[in-house]
Amino acid sequence: MRVFNTLSGQKEDFQPRSEVVTMYVCGITAYAGCHIGHAMSYIVFDVIKRYLKFKGYKVKCVQNFTDIEDKIIERANQLGVLPSQLTNKYIDQYFTEMDALNIERADVYPKATEEIPKMIEMIQGLLARGHAYEADGSVYFRVRSFPSYGKLSHRNLSELISKASVYEEKKEYPLDFALWKASKPGEPFWESPWGEGRPGWHIECSAMSLKYLGDSIDIHGGGQDLIFPHHENEIAQSEGFTGVIPFARYWLHNGLVQQGKEKMSKSVGNLVSVRDVLSNFSPDAIRLFVLSSHYRNPVIYDSEAVAACERGIERLRLALEQKGKEDEGAVGLSPEPFEQKFIEVMDDDFNTAQAIAVLFELAREINRGAEQGMDMAECQHTLLRLTDILGLTFKEKTKPSLDPETFIKLLVSVRDELRQDQQWRVADKIRRGLADLGIVLEDAPEGTVWRYKR
């Protein structure tokens, strides 16, 4: 099996340290709902994990939640809630949506706020080794102390400076990044040897990976937008702290979802939420859409393309339901060539696009054989086993519940979010529409309650 390693820039033979593959995948920053770009990344790494298990490996997977960060604090302040209330809401939503997409759960889901001691331990170690310095209660990583900085993104320091974050006067060098941030008035904080503050973003993943998977892991995964600075910084601080090289043997990065020519992102405002996609399409169709492209390629989101995948799922389901004629002399078709081809393409850097083509070819042969009275049970068993590697379940898309009270609660919840975003006109439209249906909303400091008009 060969995988494309971002670190080397080429395909390499996959040789984990043991039969237990250690795998770390960067999780969400929990301040908003997940979009289809998140779904793509977690579907991709779910299939990689499933295929490794198919190949006989055991997999220990860790995926973090960033539950303290500038965007979280800003969003919580806008809504007038505690950061923990905001993050718990979106972490719960994450699990609901990813479970719906049939994404196997990781072995550990550490939260940044629960791993502060390990981060402080790392920062102290980096200071002691000369890789970090303190400035006004903050601590920064000294990039020029790590000679191989830039080896993941394949750029030198002068090239990377143009991509650096906003320059701060207290930094020794523009690329130096925060390991610990001194607290600002009104922000959450933790006690540390450098005063009250909170961790920088990058140190979180290093600390959680080292704690739960050890000093060196087999696979580190995430989207291509994390290569620099996040993963580059992870390497520097992890290897600088432990002295163990490499921090990760194989760096795997999935392509990004686009709307037209633009990357889908919160900052651009062109998001398609997982919740909306799940309301229109089956989880199988969404998975087939994502996996129909090679994981390293960008994907252009198109609802018509997902609808076509819905029809593709139906074709596979019908092949699984085919019955050959009851004929004792019927000869079955061997599925072995199809399985071998499936393995061949998946062994080539998890080429799910070609693997799916093999599955549809097998489905056509099942249909043809059934029409000719052949026994296709073995082929159907193989098709079901291989589609399971891709996480397909062939469950019918469930119809949404039309329970009136559930629907009213949903509208009230949507209206609350609109009011928090100061979209008063739309919020009032919902209130008037419910009033026309005999439902009264009463706004109170502890939240909105509803009742039927007396």
Side-chain angles (χ1 to χ4, degrees):
M1 188 165 72
R2 291 172 64 77
V3 301
F4 185 89
N5 188 352
T6 306
L7 188 62
S8 66
Q10 61 188 12
K11 291 181 185 177
E12 300 177 6
D13 291 337
F14 182 67
Q15 296 177 334
R17 285 181 167 76
S18 71
E19 65 177 15
V20 179
V21 175
T22 49
M23 180 175 175
Y24 186 95
V25 178
C26 284
I28 62 168
T29 300
Y31 70 99
C34 291
H35 55 74
I36 193 67
H38 293 120
M40 175 182 178
S41 187
Y42 301 126
I43 288 170
V44 163
F45 288 102
D46 178 63
V47 170
I48 289 173
K49 183 168 67 171
R50 287 170 183 265
Y51 189 66
L52 290 171
K53 291 180 179 179
F54 171 78
K55 295 284 286 188
Y57 296 105
K58 296 176 183 177
V59 181
K60 184 176 182 182
C61 182
V62 174
Q63 183 179 314
N64 72 298
F65 287 116
T66 296
D67 61 344
I68 187 67
E69 201 257 352
D70 290 345
K71 293 175 182 177
I72 291 171
I73 295 169
E74 180 182 357
R75 180 67 172 157
N77 289 339
Q78 289 174 350
L79 300 179
V81 299
L82 294 173
S84 59
Q85 291 175 297
L86 180 71
T87 57
N88 287 339
K89 170 186 174 180
Y90 287 115
I91 288 171
D92 288 345
Q93 184 176 321
Y94 169 89
F95 281 123
T96 298
E97 293 172 352
M98 298 304 133
D99 287 349
L101 289 169
N102 194 31
I103 291 171
E104 292 183 348
R105 292 204 176 187
D107 296 281
V108 188
Y109 283 100
K111 296 179 181 178
T113 57
E114 297 172 355
E115 307 297 340
I116 302 294
K118 182 64 177 180
M119 299 177 207
I120 291 176
E121 176 195 337
M122 282 192 69
I123 296 169
Q124 288 176 315
L126 290 167
L127 282 164
R129 293 166 178 78
H131 288 300
Y133 58 93
E134 184 182 354
D136 297 332
S138 295
V139 181
Y140 293 90
F141 186 89
R142 184 177 279 120
V143 163
R144 286 181 292 184
S145 73
F146 191 73
S148 61
Y149 190 85
K151 61 184 177 181
L152 184 68
S153 51
H154 305 288
R155 292 181 173 88
N156 59 40
L157 295 184
S158 60
E159 290 176 301
L160 290 172
I161 283 178
S162 63
K163 294 179 174 288
S165 58
V166 177
Y167 180 70
E168 299 175 48
E169 286 187 4
K170 55 187 174 182
K171 288 184 181 182
E172 293 180 355
Y173 187 66
L175 285 174
D176 292 351
F177 56 90
L179 300 169
W180 187 262
K181 295 183 176 183
S183 64
K184 298 176 183 176
E187 287 188 349
F189 64 85
W190 286 262
E191 297 293 341
S192 80
W194 317 285
E196 296 175 348
R198 57 187 172 87
W201 174 38
H202 311 297
I203 195 69
E204 297 174 8
C205 286
S206 288
M208 290 184 259
S209 182
L210 295 181
K211 178 177 177 178
Y212 292 100
L213 296 175
D215 291 349
S216 183
I217 62 175
D218 292 308
I219 294 174
H220 197 309
Q224 290 173 355
D225 54 342
L226 297 179
I227 294 173
F228 182 84
H230 186 50
H231 289 166
E232 193 76 70
N233 292 349
E234 275 192 69
I235 291 174
Q237 63 200 9
S238 299
E239 295 181 359
F241 173 69
T242 66
V244 176
I245 299 173
F247 164 52
R249 292 168 67 86
Y250 304 95
W251 287 87
L252 308 184
H253 291 96
N254 63 274
L256 306 177
V257 179
Q258 299 177 346
Q259 280 271 53
K261 295 182 179 180
E262 285 190 315
K263 169 199 163 187
M264 189 176 292
S265 70
K266 296 183 182 75
S267 58
V268 177
N270 60 349
L271 301 181
V272 177
S273 72
V274 173
R275 178 178 288 179
D276 287 345
V277 179
L278 279 169
S279 70
N280 292 305
F281 302 105
S282 71
D284 278 355
I286 298 168
R287 291 185 74 106
L288 191 66
F289 167 73
V290 167
L291 300 173
S292 292
S293 298
H294 192 280
Y295 78 90
R296 286 190 283 115
N297 292 338
V299 172
I300 298 176
Y301 180 78
D302 181 352
S303 58
E304 291 184 8
V306 186
C309 289
E310 199 80 79
R311 296 189 291 272
I313 291 295
E314 189 60 27
R315 284 162 53 199
L316 293 173
R317 180 187 287 111
L318 290 174
L320 290 168
E321 294 172 353
Q322 284 281 11
K323 295 186 182 298
K325 294 179 181 178
E326 297 296 329
D327 183 352
E328 292 183 2
V331 179
L333 179 70
S334 172
E336 186 175 345
F338 298 96
E339 181 167 346
Q340 289 304 313
K341 181 63 176 176
F342 180 94
I343 292 171
E344 178 186 329
V345 298
M346 286 293 286
D347 276 353
D348 183 14
D349 195 29
F350 311 106
N351 195 331
T352 55
Q354 290 189 28
I356 288 169
V358 172
L359 297 181
F360 278 108
E361 185 180 349
L362 177 55
R364 284 193 296 272
E365 292 302 318
I366 290 172
N367 292 333
R368 186 178 296 117
E371 289 175 2
Q372 296 173 3
M374 299 172 69
D375 179 5
M376 304 306 294
E378 189 179 357
C379 285
Q380 289 171 316
H381 176 73
T382 297
L383 179 60
L384 189 60
R385 189 158 51 88
L386 298 182
T387 53
D388 183 63
I389 295 170
L390 303 185
L392 304 180
T393 65
F394 299 103
K395 293 178 181 177
E396 295 284 353
K397 183 173 181 294
T398 56
K399 295 182 179 179
S401 170
L402 295 179
D403 173 60
E405 294 197 359
T406 300
F407 188 64
I408 293 168
K409 290 177 182 177
L410 175 62
L411 284 175
V412 171
S413 174
V414 170
R415 177 177 173 270
D416 284 344
E417 291 192 13
L418 289 169
R419 294 176 72 227
Q420 289 167 353
D421 291 340
Q422 300 185 357
Q423 297 188 41
W424 310 114
R425 186 180 62 80
V426 183
D428 288 343
K429 187 175 182 180
I430 292 176
R431 175 195 278 275
R432 290 194 299 272
L434 289 173
D436 291 342
L437 297 173
I439 297 158
V440 177
L441 302 186
E442 297 176 349
D443 297 320
E446 62 273 12
T448 303
V449 295
W450 67 272
R451 61 176 174 81
Y452 292 109
K453 190 180 296 182
R454 297 186 179 87

